[in-house]
């Protein structure tokens, strides 16, 4: 009877294996499965792919593609950057201020134009500072500052006296940056 109750203490190796190695293997397997599925579903898209989706996708996909494009930072040579700006401008100018489903797309395309930094976008961005959508106006002011062309100064000064407090704040920020 005494032999059964006096069990030898387990080794430290078994304890480490039970409480550290086994959970480590489970976590490692879970991370491995996550990475495999992530690599399987990851798709690399170019800015032109996003613009194509903005041009011809469903209403929901259009704004999402414009959002993804605004987040991307394409490292493009100047001639490709100019082409992308021209294509983005064509799409932006083809969108209606009156259609509610175009409002989000317009917002994000304004951000794209600002990030591209091409002075060719100035007239469209200056017009967008008078857009019916307050977020589009705000993003347009930011984009004008991002481009950094002094020709936009009168438009930014006009926005600094706007009734919209957000537009005034953004105009002050942009004026400080310029």
């Amino acid at each position: 009877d005494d032999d059964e109750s006096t069990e030898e203490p387990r080794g430290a190796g078994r304890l480490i294996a039970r409480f550290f190695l086994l959970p480590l293997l489970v976590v490692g397997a879970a991370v491995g499965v996550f990475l495999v599925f992530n690599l399987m579903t990851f798709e690399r898209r170019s800015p032109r792919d996003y613009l194509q989706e903005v041009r011809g996708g469903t209403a929901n996909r259009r704004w999402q593609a414009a959002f993804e494009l605004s987040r991307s930072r394409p490292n493009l040579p100047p001639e490709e950057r100019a082409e992308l700006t021209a294509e983005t401008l064509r799409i932006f100018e083809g969108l209606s201020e009156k259609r509610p489903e175009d409002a989000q797309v317009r917002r994000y395309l304004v951000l794209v134009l600002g990030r591209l930094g091409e002075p060719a976008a100035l007239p469209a961005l200056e017009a967008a500072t008078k857009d019916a959508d307050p977020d589009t106006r705000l993003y347009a002011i930011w984009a004008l500052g991002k481009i950094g062309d002094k020709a936009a100064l009168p438009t930014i000064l006009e926005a600094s006296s706007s009734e919209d407090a957000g537009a005034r704040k953004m105009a002050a920020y942009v004026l400080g940056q310029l």
Side-chain angles (χ1 to χ4, degrees):
D1 239 3
D2 288 337
D3 289 336
E4 291 178 15
S5 62
T6 59
E7 195 176 306
E8 284 188 33
R10 295 189 179 180
R14 290 184 94 177
L15 190 62
I16 289 173
R18 179 182 286 170
F19 289 109
F20 295 108
L21 293 181
L22 186 60
L24 183 65
L25 288 174
V26 170
V27 169
V31 168
V33 167
F34 171 77
L35 289 175
V36 165
F37 280 107
N38 194 19
L39 288 173
M40 286 173 34
T41 60
F42 181 75
E43 55 183 291
R44 181 158 311 287
R45 296 177 69 186
S46 72
R48 298 216 184 279
D49 295 335
Y50 287 125
L51 280 177
Q52 185 64 30
E53 185 89 29
V54 169
R55 187 180 300 117
T58 64
N60 198 34
R61 277 303 299 154
R62 289 174 59 224
W63 77 262
Q64 290 174 354
F67 172 75
E68 289 298 328
L69 182 59
S70 75
R71 289 182 52 223
S72 70
R73 297 189 180 262
N75 189 11
L76 301 173
E79 61 277 353
E80 285 184 41
R81 184 177 296 272
E83 289 175 23
L84 187 62
T85 300
E87 194 172 337
T88 304
L89 278 170
R90 277 193 299 276
I91 294 170
F92 177 76
E93 290 168 347
L95 297 173
S96 172
E97 288 182 45
K98 310 252 186 281
R99 293 178 55 197
E101 61 269 11
D102 285 351
Q104 281 184 309
V105 177
R106 288 175 58 81
R107 288 176 201 157
Y108 295 125
L109 288 181
V110 164
L111 291 175
V112 170
L113 291 170
R115 286 213 168 108
L116 288 172
E118 290 290 320
L122 284 176
L125 291 174
E126 288 174 340
T129 61
K130 295 166 182 56
D131 198 273
D133 179 45
D135 289 335
T136 303
R137 289 192 305 260
L138 188 71
Y139 296 164
I141 296 167
W142 175 86
L144 288 171
K146 189 77 173 162
I147 291 174
D149 194 328
K150 304 284 190 230
L153 198 57
T155 305
I156 297 168
L157 285 172
E158 182 181 330
S160 69
S161 61
S162 170
E163 292 180 14
D164 182 9
R168 287 193 310 268
K169 288 178 191 175
M170 184 58 73
Y173 169 76
V174 168
L175 286 171
Q177 292 290 30
L178 291 177

